Amino acid sequence: MKKILATGGTGYIGSHTVVELIQSGYEVDIVDNLFNSKATVIDEIFKITGKKPKFFKADLLNKEEISEIFANNHYDTVLHFAGLKAVGESVEKPLLYYRNNIEGTVNLLEIMQAHDVNEIIFSSSATVYGVQESPEYIETMQTGVGISNPYGRTKYFIEEIIKDQAIANDNFKAILLRYFNPVGAHPSGLIGEDPNGIPNNLMPIIMRVSDGRIPELSVYGNDYPTEDGTCRRDYIHVVDLAKGHTVCLNHLEKGVKIYNLGSGAPNSVMEIIAAFEKASGEKLPYKIVGRRAGDLAEFWANANKANKELNWSTELSIDDAMRDTINFLKNNKGK
């Protein structure tokens, strides 16, 4: 069984994937700088799985630290989640994002090469597609054109860097996973989305409105050409997403493979609000405000390739995601 290193493994998607990996029999170590996560996640992973992953508090920008981890431990595969991910912040601080996300990844790839680790699964994003004529995104579409923010461009540049490394190294195996809007939490209620600082994504904002940390939700525009006028996005339960990463370990081959992971069925902002209200039994205060620059009316994943080649598809619904989110909120109240 492969030995895995998960960079950013205490983060939202990383932690859920680590749980799935351990439950599938893999041995997993985590490296994370805890910039946007908490060390207590390690204890929660232990409560869920009965196994505590080895944890290294280290930063990918510190090559010496990361090199030492690789020198002292054998890894077969790296699952690379680490990176800054706030779209708005990336517009305000582009150099921070380019240095952290791109330089951190180059450091990681150089260290992997030095220690003959030739397998990587990269946590990419649907943002690499930029603006497309069709709202249904498929892997064969051109990427890198019309990306509206530095965060998305870092994902695109990293994809290209990994492709180039695969050309240079005949033994290199990579899978790029492009996903859309992860939501939900682990059904145990022990881990979920809890970003440090001010959240940018819809669900963590809804969570903070629900528990009173934010007075109301701002809905950016209700005049889009959609059924209810609000933006539609492809929301995927984080446990489904974690399972998607896990199955990829059996499908690594020389070169680069690319997969969309999504539900293929978009929901509008108002539909997400309604689903949360239904699950919680409470009304969510919100106001309609002006459109946000760069927001597209709608887009979603065509995940047929992952369905066919990985035998993977989503199993959990938006209602499941809302139930698990509320369970996580209740379990972590006051923490």
Side-chain angles (χ1 to χ4, degrees):
M1 191 66 85
K2 290 177 177 177
K3 174 78 180 289
I4 313 297
L5 179 66
T7 71
T10 57
Y12 177 43
I13 300 163
S15 61
H16 285 82
T17 305
V18 168
V19 165
E20 291 298 325
L21 291 167
I22 292 172
Q23 291 180 331
S24 297
Y26 294 98
E27 187 181 349
V28 189
D29 290 359
I30 293 173
V31 59
D32 202 303
N33 64 4
L34 301 179
F35 179 80
N36 197 32
S37 59
K38 299 176 177 68
T40 52
V41 167
I42 301 296
D43 296 323
E44 308 300 350
I45 291 171
F46 174 69
K47 289 175 189 173
I48 295 168
T49 66
K51 292 188 177 179
K52 184 174 283 193
K54 190 186 291 184
F55 173 66
F56 302 98
K57 185 179 185 297
D59 195 305
L60 293 181
L61 292 179
N62 189 324
K63 280 190 79 171
E64 194 173 301
E65 280 184 341
I66 305 301
S67 294
E68 190 174 338
I69 292 167
F70 274 79
N72 295 326
N73 301 274
H74 165 77
Y75 299 113
D76 298 294
T77 313
V78 173
L79 267 66
H80 183 30
F81 300 97
L84 299 174
K85 63 174 188 174
V87 170
E89 183 184 56
S90 79
V91 175
E92 296 166 6
K93 302 175 181 178
L95 299 181
L96 174 67
Y97 273 66
Y98 288 126
R99 177 176 294 281
N100 186 86
N101 293 5
I102 296 174
E103 185 179 331
T105 302
V106 171
N107 286 347
L108 176 65
L109 290 169
E110 286 178 341
I111 294 163
M112 286 173 62
Q113 182 171 276
H115 293 275
D116 200 28
V117 180
N118 292 308
E119 297 184 356
I120 188 168
I121 297 170
F122 174 54
S123 170
S124 193
S125 166
T127 55
V128 301
Y129 289 110
V131 178
Q132 301 285 346
E133 287 186 14
S134 167
E136 183 179 45
Y137 291 178
I138 190 165
E139 293 90 344
T140 51
M141 285 177 167
Q142 183 180 8
T143 56
V145 178
I147 299 174
S148 62
N149 57 80
Y151 159 73
R153 277 189 283 277
T154 67
K155 291 292 190 183
Y156 167 70
F157 291 145
I158 291 168
E159 283 197 2
E160 296 301 300
I161 290 166
I162 289 173
K163 290 175 188 175
D164 287 338
Q165 178 65 350
I167 292 168
N169 178 356
D170 288 340
N171 295 316
F172 198 71
K173 304 173 183 178
I175 292 180
L176 313 178
L177 294 177
R178 296 172 180 163
Y179 39 84
F180 292 67
N181 295 69
V183 290
H186 193 270
S188 66
L190 291 170
I191 57 173
E193 189 165 19
D194 188 21
N196 296 332
I198 299 168
N200 288 264
N201 298 332
L202 178 61
M203 273 312 300
I205 295 172
I206 285 177
M207 291 162 69
R208 294 191 179 191
V209 172
S210 173
D211 67 14
R213 284 186 283 173
I214 296 176
E216 63 183 356
L217 171 70
S218 293
V219 176
Y220 294 101
N222 66 345
D223 57 350
Y224 286 94
T226 60
E227 196 167 315
D228 62 24
T230 62
C231 293
R232 299 170 79 220
R233 298 288 182 266
D234 190 319
Y235 294 92
I236 176 174
H237 196 298
V238 68
V239 172
D240 279 333
L241 187 55
K243 289 178 179 177
H245 286 77
T246 305
V247 299
C248 282
L249 286 164
N250 297 319
H251 295 271
L252 283 156
E253 297 174 0
K254 289 181 181 179
V256 179
K257 291 181 173 182
I258 301 169
Y259 296 101
N260 286 339
L261 295 183
S263 68
N267 292 96
S268 71
V269 175
M270 295 310 298
E271 286 172 337
I272 295 295
I273 291 171
F276 188 88
E277 290 180 337
K278 177 185 170 186
S280 66
E282 297 174 7
K283 282 290 178 186
L284 202 68
Y286 68 88
K287 64 179 177 181
I288 307 294
V289 298
R291 290 187 180 191
R292 192 166 48 182
D295 272 352
L296 301 176
E298 57 183 357
F299 59 84
W300 61 88
N302 178 318
N304 291 343
K305 187 181 178 187
N307 301 162
K308 184 179 177 182
E309 295 185 14
L310 304 176
N311 194 27
W312 172 92
S313 61
T314 56
E315 299 170 358
L316 299 165
S317 67
I318 286 297
D319 289 338
D320 293 326
M322 296 304 134
R323 176 202 64 214
D324 294 337
T325 296
I326 290 160
N327 188 29
F328 174 71
L329 274 172
K330 288 177 179 174
N331 201 53
N332 289 272
K333 202 165 188 177
K335 286 188 180 179

